Amino acid sequence: MGITPAVCDKIGKEEYLEVAAKFDASADSNHRNGEAAGNNKSRKNRRRQRKVPVMASPVQGLFETCRKVFANSRTGFVPPPEDICLLRSVLDNLRPEDLGLSANMPYFRRMMVDRPQTISYIHLHECDKFSIGIFCLPPSGVIPLHNHPGMTVFGKLLFGTMHIKSYDWVVGDIGSSSAISTQVHPSGARLAEVKVDSEFTAPCNTSVLYPADGGNMHRFTGVTACAILDVLGPPYSDPDGRHCTYYRDHPLTNLSGSEEEGGAGYAWLEEIEKPEDFSVVGTLYGGPALTRR
């Protein structure tokens, strides 16, 4: 499943024009009603009637959009294409300063070179429908390979360069790659296909992954100091079966030495406990105020 940025741009523009038209019609109606009520109202009052409403802050706009898009969120829920495009458009336009972030904050400083780096998590909001948060990675910081069961996830790289490797489970026949099935693999491991294995540098398009497509299992590595905004719909929930599982990937190698046969683009994923060297520290949000009405 996928939606191209071009389609999102079109839908986002059409929705913007629709909202703008409604506002123009409302303002025009108010103006006519003011005239019908008589000329006793002062010119100052008429100007007040036509005043353009104050727009919400970008982070408030993100919250309101998430509330709309994930109103019916549940395990396995995928928003309709127009809602995906709307939220993606909102995220694409977010800047670090909209969230009170800058690269010189202490979260992004590399500490001891020979030890795993601590990841900071800035919590913005969580309810039973969706969650919003920011992961702050110093250089060489790693979020291990993990899954998002039954979730639709939006990821916006706010600044910096990050390497992302992601997988989807292989379902059904693996086609001509019969050599894969004969390879020895860890007990209980499942076969997965590589979806992304690349570096990304901000600004770049918001990524979207789905419950069964788009790279539901992924690992983040900070090439430089970087921050990624995560929107999960719905969020993790052990009682609802949405438990975060960590994996160790065992990339496949060609058995015959042929470029056409073997395991290029595949790996066995073995479930593991949360890595002991993976440390996340919760951090208070210090950006523009967020009203949760």
Side-chain angles (χ1 to χ4, degrees):
M1 179 176 180
I3 298 173
T4 66
V7 173
C8 285
D9 291 343
K10 181 179 179 182
I11 293 177
K13 183 177 181 181
E14 289 175 348
E15 182 145 344
Y16 169 80
L17 292 174
E18 181 181 349
V19 172
K22 288 180 179 178
F23 173 73
D24 289 342
S26 176
D28 189 51
S29 175
N30 288 340
H31 178 60
R32 290 196 303 269
N33 290 339
E35 290 180 340
N39 296 321
N40 294 329
K41 293 184 179 179
S42 68
R43 185 174 303 172
K44 181 179 179 180
N45 287 337
R46 288 199 298 270
R47 283 200 301 268
R48 185 180 297 119
Q49 284 181 340
R50 302 190 66 186
K51 185 186 296 183
V52 176
V54 177
M55 298 301 291
S57 68
V59 69
Q60 187 68 42
L62 170 63
F63 172 74
E64 299 296 345
T65 303
C66 287
R67 191 159 63 172
K68 171 185 180 296
V69 169
F70 291 110
N72 299 312
S73 184
R74 60 193 179 281
T75 301
F77 172 76
V78 176
E82 60 271 19
D83 283 351
I84 290 175
C85 290
L86 176 61
L87 180 50
R88 191 173 189 173
S89 176
V90 170
L91 288 165
D92 281 343
N93 288 302
L94 276 179
R95 301 168 299 171
E97 52 267 35
D98 294 330
L99 299 153
L101 284 180
S102 66
N104 60 5
M105 287 179 164
Y107 323 130
F108 305 106
R109 295 174 189 162
R110 186 172 183 177
M111 306 304 287
M112 297 183 180
V113 175
D114 59 343
R115 293 189 180 181
Q117 303 298 303
T118 297
I119 310 299
S120 298
Y121 179 74
I122 302 175
H123 171 77
L124 275 74
H125 177 78
E126 181 170 334
C127 61
D128 61 344
K129 300 295 186 181
F130 65 92
S131 67
I132 307 172
I134 305 168
F135 286 99
C136 305
L137 284 70
S140 302
V142 178
I143 298 178
L145 185 62
H146 62 284
N147 69 343
H148 297 84
M151 304 178 192
T152 299
V153 181
F154 293 75
K156 164 65 175 179
L157 184 62
L158 294 165
F159 67 82
T161 299
M162 171 181 286
H163 183 272
I164 300 176
K165 189 165 190 179
S166 66
Y167 296 91
D168 283 329
W169 295 121
V170 171
V171 179
D173 186 13
I174 57 176
S176 61
S177 301
S178 57
I180 294 176
S181 62
T182 65
Q183 291 205 20
V184 176
H185 57 84
S187 177
R190 288 183 61 185
L191 184 63
E193 181 178 6
V194 176
K195 301 299 290 187
V196 174
D197 188 5
S198 301
E199 288 186 2
F200 295 85
T201 299
C204 54
N205 292 331
T206 298
S207 64
V208 185
L209 62 88
Y210 304 93
D213 187 31
N216 189 277
M217 298 156 288
H218 57 210
R219 174 171 56 237
F220 295 152
T221 303
V223 178
T224 67
C226 54
I228 187 164
L229 174 64
D230 255 8
V231 175
L232 311 182
Y236 289 107
S237 171
D238 287 347
D240 295 317
R242 300 189 299 273
H243 173 71
C244 183
T245 301
Y246 295 89
Y247 300 92
R248 180 180 295 114
D249 51 350
H250 301 268
L252 276 67
T253 56
N254 292 335
L255 295 179
S256 63
S258 167
E259 293 295 329
E260 299 178 357
E261 187 178 17
Y266 294 90
W268 297 110
L269 300 192
E270 174 190 10
E271 288 190 19
I272 60 173
E273 295 295 323
K274 178 182 176 181
E276 293 183 359
D277 58 2
F278 175 44
S279 176
V280 179
V281 176
T283 303
L284 293 176
Y285 171 62
L290 179 60
T291 302
R292 302 169 179 86
R293 298 187 290 273

